[in-house]
Each structure stands twice: as C-alpha cells, then as structure tokens.
Amino acid sequence: MNVLHGKKRVLILSEGFGAGHTQAAYALAVSLEQRCSTIETRVLELGSFLHPTIAPWIIHAYKKTLTAQPKLYGRLYRSQYKKSLNRLTQLALHRIFYAQTAAIIQQWAPQAIVCTHPFPSVVVSRLKRAGLDIPLCTVITDYDVHGTWVSREVNKYMVSTEDVKNKLLGRGITAAQVEITGIPVHPSFRVAHDKAMIRQQFQLASLPTVLVMGGGWGLIGGDSLSEHLMTWRDRIQFIFCLGNNEKALTKLAMDARYQHPNIHLLGFTQEIGKLMEASDLLVTKPGGMTCSEGLAKSIPMLFYDPIPGQEEENVHYFTQLGFGEPIRSADTIANWLSMLASRYTDVEAKRVSNYHKKKMCLPSADCSEVIMQLLG
C-alpha cells in the first residue's frame, strides 16, 4: 500500500450542484480524521477545482432551471431515472475531466476515492475501467437512487436506507457492494448543547422558535410561505437562514415585515446544528443532507416545494416514518404554529418521540467505518 509519511490518504470528490453533496464530503472527511489520526483527507468539488471559470456558470444555470422550471427538471429526472448517463454526457465528462482527474489522483496518490456526487463517480469509474486500481466508494446523498449513480466499477456504495439498497440490487449491483450507513452528517450534529446557552449566544428570546432554511437558493422571501409565517411573529420567534445568498439577506433586512424583535436573519453559518437544537420546528426544502441533519437533532420538520424527483422521495421517506410533514396548504402551517403557541408541550413530546424512533432506525455502520475497513 502506498502510504506517504505513515498516512493513508482518502480523496473525496463532490460537485457544487446543491450544497448537500459537498457538506456530506466534508462531514465524512472530519469523521474519518477524528476516528483515525493516520488518515488524511482531501475534499474537492471536481468541476470547480478543474474549471473555476466555467463551473459557476453551469451551476448557476442549474439553479435557475430548478427554481424557474421545476416541472421540467422533474420530467428529465423521471425520463432518465433507470438509466446511466447517456454516451454524449459521458463523453463530455471524459473530455472535460478525464486526463486532469487522472493527474490529480497520480499526484496525490490516495488509498481510496470517495464520491458524493454522481459526476465524479462516473469519471473515476471510467478511470478504473482503464486500469486504475484504487477502491472507489460512492455515497448516495438522498433517500432515492437515480440511474446516474449506478456503475459496476464502484467497489462500495454507501446508502441511506434498505429501500435504496434494494433499488441498487434491482439494477445489477451485488449485495456485497452496498452498505446501509445513512448519509454522513458532521460529527458536531451528534453533540448535545444546552438550549439556554445557544439562545444566549444567538441573542434569541425564550419563545417557541421556528428555523426556516432554503434561502441560499433564493427560496425565502416574498412568497406565500413567508407571509403565513409573518402573521405569527408576535407569538413565535423565527430564524431565517439565507446561506450564501447575500442578495436575499439584504432584501429581507430592508423589508419592514422582517424588522421585528422576534425575527432573526442569518447568512452563512457553520452552526446549523446548534440552531436546530435551539429551535422547536424546522421548515425547509427537503434536501437529503438537511433532512439527515434534522433527523440527527430529532427536530420535527415541515417540507416546502420539493424538487420533483429526489426531494419528493425524501419527503415520502420522512413523512412515512413520522419525522416530518409536507406543507400541503396554509392549514398545515397554521396547525403547527398554533400548536407551538398554545400547546407547546405537544411539540416537545413530538421531539422526544422522534428521538426514540431515530435510535431504532439508525444503521449499524457509518460511512467512515466502511472506508476504514477498505483501507485495512
């Protein structure tokens, strides 16, 4: 085994099409290095690293399509659901990434490669067909599996649920190639914090609190969801997380409706785990990573505007198990906020119930353990 200075190197490849893929990559990197001091990790968003000028334009176009034409995206997702990437897309990835990715791998000499997005998984799979002899692990970061994830060159798939494993088995992947690990979340989400201290840190009042996420993609502000929430601002505290969307943050800060002592506007923060713990209800887009983080904190979740395809499957999974509920109408919001304002103990009981259900459905292994076994 090629180990430099006694370290075993793990290269973790992601893409910027949604923050969850890269969040999973960094969560896994931290977990591996915490578990074993002889493991060294490197996380790369492959497209952004190799093509820093072009990649942001492609990602921006992707986001615009999702927000402006979600039904079109859903049709494309379903039409290709059981198919691997078509030959034209594979050829494009080959031309854009193949030689440079091979050079990165040769230079850094990892003992294992982990992909948290299907594009780098496709690229490395092709390299393996050409003779690359390094274990390839692929972490599927949703509660569903699209055909673009599937490649027989993947040595180990790490998946969220038994259902996702069965879908892979139905597409020709062997049982030995699949481990049910859950989606990796940052180890900090497994740390309990004092609720009063968190509220003091963020200057929050001792009120029922709702955390609203999804603003990084411009999904908060000026819509009917925000309007319904605002009618409760005298009785309930709201934390809006806008992520890296500085434009949306500035817009809301200038909106008179949000200039209220019970409304807190935040940009990018690495302390979402603490905010979830200090809150009583999470209102969010149902991305695989955010849902997994919410599950780790046992917080009840309301899901809005799922992207047709994988986010709809995420909603189905968490609703079926009782961890969340889709917002079907204004009544859904009103029912939960009324419960927060008038029957707070019922919400607390729901969180306790989530905690016990979570313990029963947690997988026996996690991603870092599987990778450490491959490293030997």
Side-chain angles (χ1 to χ4, degrees), residues 65-142:
T65 301
L66 283 184
T67 54
Q69 301 184 61
K71 291 183 179 179
L72 172 61
Y73 176 85
R75 287 197 295 270
L76 291 172
Y77 182 91
R78 294 187 185 94
S79 69
Q80 301 296 314
Y81 182 71
K82 294 186 177 181
K83 302 176 184 177
S84 298
L85 287 177
N86 61 54
R87 289 187 176 183
L88 181 61
T89 305
Q90 290 191 40
L91 178 61
L93 290 173
H94 171 73
R95 292 282 180 87
I96 295 170
F97 297 122
Y98 188 81
Q100 291 169 294
T101 304
I104 290 171
I105 293 170
Q106 183 177 15
Q107 179 183 20
W108 207 62
Q111 282 71 57
I113 299 171
V114 182
C115 296
T116 61
H117 188 278
F119 284 3
S121 183
V122 168
V123 173
V124 178
S125 293
R126 185 163 184 143
L127 287 169
K128 285 176 69 67
R129 288 198 296 272
L132 178 69
D133 188 20
I134 298 174
L136 170 61
C137 305
T138 294
V139 181
I140 297 178
T141 51
D142 276 301

Side-chain angles (χ1 to χ4, degrees), residues 225 282-287 290-292 299-306 311 314-320 323-328 332:
L225 169 63
L282 173 63
V283 179
T284 183
K285 290 281 291 178
T290 304
C291 290
S292 299
I299 186 171
M301 294 178 275
L302 293 184
F303 306 117
Y304 68 92
D305 290 342
E311 287 195 354
N314 297 344
V315 170
H316 175 74
Y317 174 77
F318 282 93
T319 301
Q320 186 179 44
F323 293 113
E325 179 181 350
I327 297 176
R328 302 189 188 280
T332 306

